[in-house]
Amino acid sequence: MESKGSILIMLLCILQLSVPCLSQQQDFDFFYFVQQWPGSYCDSQKSCCYPTSGKPAADFGIHGLWPNYKDGTYPSNCDPNSPFDQSQMSDLTSSLQKNWPTLACPSGDGIQFWTHEWEKHGTCSESSLTQHDYFETTLNLKQKSNLLDALTSAGIHADGGSYSLSSIKGAIQKRVGFAPFVECNVDSARNSQLYQVYLCVDTSGSNFIDCPVFPHGKCGSDVEFPSF
């Protein structure tokens, strides 16, 4: 049930009384929770830079928590009046640096990456999550999914070897209970590499769900899991 405040905002919006129509902009159906394998990113990108905190651990890093619609489209940059506020993140900074690093150049301390993710994607979930909640929820999802452990427990290791796409998906589904979407990069030798894993999450950001729609793209039947 919507709060009285949100109903009032909707009425004022309809009456065009100079109230930002954020309640409409923030409607979405589910999240894509996206994690990236750094070995594939650094192996197939033209440039790869480590954060100022040093080389990240050989683990999946968070790329983002992205609100989406069931038709495959997504909202973006929903609230220009809600810029990233670093002061709200002091208790999460060390965990973000560990679990949500950026490898794009220049990498820096991560603030620029987190700012982008909040302002482009996070502001579209403000009907459900504050800025702090958005990042804390995403960190909790990473811990809950623990992709690297799910894969290594199934005998799938980041050793440069090739593994069947079905075994990778199966290991992840066994861990989280729902089928993932796997995105691949192609390296200079034209090998299909495990790059990103998409899991779908309900609008509260708490629970994994069946994906209403998968992103476009596909991998080969065998996928390289590069070292990092």
Side-chain angles (χ1 to χ4, degrees), residues 64-82:
L65 186 66
W66 302 341
N68 269 259
Y69 300 125
K70 290 180 179 178
D71 65 1
T73 61
Y74 60 90
S76 65
N77 302 100
C78 292
D79 187 0
N81 296 314
S82 182

Side-chain angles (χ1 to χ4, degrees), residues 29-126:
D29 298 319
F30 69 99
F31 288 106
Y32 279 134
F33 172 48
V34 187
Q35 297 179 75
Q36 182 181 94
W37 179 248
S40 180
Y41 182 90
C42 288
D43 198 28
S44 57
Q45 299 294 319
K46 292 182 178 179
S47 58
C48 170
C49 294
Y50 298 155
T52 52
S53 55
K55 181 181 179 180
D59 192 7
F60 284 88
I62 297 169
H63 190 169
L65 186 66
W66 302 341
N68 269 259
Y69 300 125
K70 290 180 179 178
D71 65 1
T73 61
Y74 60 90
S76 65
N77 302 100
C78 292
D79 187 0
N81 296 314
S82 182
F84 180 80
D85 183 357
Q86 186 178 350
S87 67
Q88 297 183 28
M89 312 302 294
S90 58
D91 62 319
L92 299 178
T93 299
S94 62
S95 186
L96 287 170
Q97 289 175 334
K98 177 182 177 182
N99 296 288
W100 201 326
T102 175
L103 295 169
C105 299
S107 181
D109 58 6
I111 299 298
Q112 183 176 352
F113 186 27
W114 307 330
T115 297
H116 168 80
E117 290 300 311
W118 167 250
E119 295 180 358
K120 180 176 181 179
H121 300 290
T123 56
C124 299
S125 66
E126 285 184 305

